[in-house]
Amino acid sequence: MEFDTRTKIVEPASLPVLCAGMRIAKGWFDVLTAETCALLQSAKPADGALVVLVYKDSDSRPAPLQGCDRAQMIAALESVDWVCLCHASEADDITSVYSGDSVIDVDAVQARDVIRDVLELHSSL
């Protein structure tokens, strides 16, 4: 039986109900790396659910993939229960009511910026 992972993508308005007792990860998710997958897998609580806030496209920060595509990739991960596509400011508002240990800023904890690395590699050719 096939499962359409897009059903895991929810609107910001439904998050207060969904997020009770859940862990939240947020970020751009410009590319999906093995490091990102491992980070999200380890972020999922053993007895709870993981909600991932994927930032919407922004004129000030272009992304290689559209927000809806990035959200669908994250939703396809087994460790992720819910995905919400929202503006970065909305994500800050959503996470402001949760304690620090229940929110992970994925962009801040990743060891490598793949996009920057690729651009640097190709600019020197």
Side-chain angles (χ1 to χ4, degrees):
M1 177 169 85
E2 279 189 47
F3 176 70
D4 186 352
T5 56
R6 291 174 294 185
T7 61
K8 293 167 64 172
I9 301 173
V10 298
E11 295 295 322
S14 64
L15 283 179
V17 174
L18 295 174
C19 290
M22 295 187 181
R23 194 142 199 219
I24 300 173
K26 62 181 183 172
W28 285 98
F29 303 98
D30 290 330
V31 293
L32 187 59
T33 64
E35 180 185 10
T36 308
C37 295
L39 178 64
L40 292 175
Q41 185 173 15
S42 67
K44 184 178 174 101
D47 60 346
L50 178 63
V51 175
V52 179
L53 308 177
V54 176
Y55 300 151
K56 287 184 177 181
D57 304 329
S58 166
D59 291 337
S60 64
R61 190 180 190 286
L65 294 174
Q66 297 292 317
C68 59
D69 294 331
R70 293 181 279 119
Q72 286 183 39
M73 283 194 314
I74 297 300
L77 298 174
E78 184 178 354
S79 60
V80 175
D81 296 289
W82 302 103
V83 176
C84 177
L85 189 59
C86 59
H87 292 288
S89 59
E90 288 178 295
D92 290 341
D93 291 343
I94 291 165
T95 59
S96 68
V97 298
Y98 294 92
S99 64
D101 63 338
S102 61
V103 178
I104 300 166
D105 184 345
V106 174
D107 296 333
V109 296
Q110 287 197 100
R112 180 175 173 210
D113 183 342
V114 176
I115 300 298
R116 185 188 67 228
D117 292 351
V118 168
L119 290 174
E120 287 177 0
L121 175 69
H122 289 288
S123 69
S124 64
L125 296 177

